[in-house]
Structures are given as C-alpha cells and as structure tokens.
Amino acid sequence: MRRSSDSIVSNIVEGYGRKRYKADFIKFLVYSLSSCLETKNHLFKISVLYHGTIDNIDELISSYDNLGGKIFNFIVYVEKKLENLI
C-alpha cells in the first residue's frame, strides 16, 4: 500500500517531466490513476479482512475515490489542452 500510494504523485511528477511528449505525459497520468485505484483497493481489502483496524478507513477510501476523479479530470484536461498545442 505504501508503494502504490507513493506511486500516485511520483508518476504525476515523472509525466510532467515528459510533458513535451503528449503520449508519455498521458501515459504517466494513467499510471498515477491506476496507482490511486490500487491504493483504494488495498484499503477496501483491509476494511473487509481486518474490520475495525483503522477507525477512519471509509473516509480514506472516499478521499482516494475523490483523488481518482481529480486525476481522471486532469487527464481529460491535458488531452484537450495538448491537442490544441500540437
């Protein structure tokens, strides 16, 4: 779970570093979204398998769900914005 959660921001940063190449930038944003979904899935499994271990786990799951939506919207924004630049 630590690796997938850390990977969210790391992939955004690496993609931004490659922003000159539209396909690479979007690819890394998609990796970031995938890592967000993976982290959310880990939290869900913990909530089912180890119920009551983490008090605010539903809030954490909701936060990652919200973050995933923001990353998705950013992907759409970048696709549209870069279309106009190329």
Side-chain angles (χ1 to χ4, degrees):
M1 190 162 70
R2 284 184 204 147
R3 282 189 268 178
S4 63
S5 62
D6 182 53
S7 186
I8 296 168
V9 73
S10 296
N11 281 310
I12 292 171
V13 170
E14 186 168 355
Y16 183 78
R18 298 170 187 236
K19 70 180 181 215
R20 180 175 181 156
Y21 306 101
K22 176 183 177 180
D24 278 352
F25 189 17
I26 293 170
K27 176 177 68 173
F28 280 93
L29 292 175
V30 170
Y31 290 162
S32 176
L33 178 58
S34 298
S35 294
C36 184
L37 293 171
E38 181 182 354
T39 302
K40 182 181 161 192
N41 181 59
H42 289 313
L43 288 168
F44 178 75
K45 287 191 296 186
I46 289 170
S47 74
V48 171
L49 297 174
Y50 306 102
H51 184 71
T53 305
I54 301 174
D55 293 334
N56 62 338
I57 198 152
D58 291 332
E59 185 179 323
L60 289 170
I61 291 170
S62 178
S63 293
Y64 275 99
D65 197 33
N66 187 31
L67 177 61
K70 289 178 180 184
I71 295 169
F72 177 80
N73 288 337
F74 185 55
I75 291 169
V76 171
Y77 169 79
V78 168
E79 286 173 336
K80 288 179 182 177
K81 181 173 169 115
L82 290 182
E83 277 179 9
N84 296 333
L85 295 174
I86 296 174

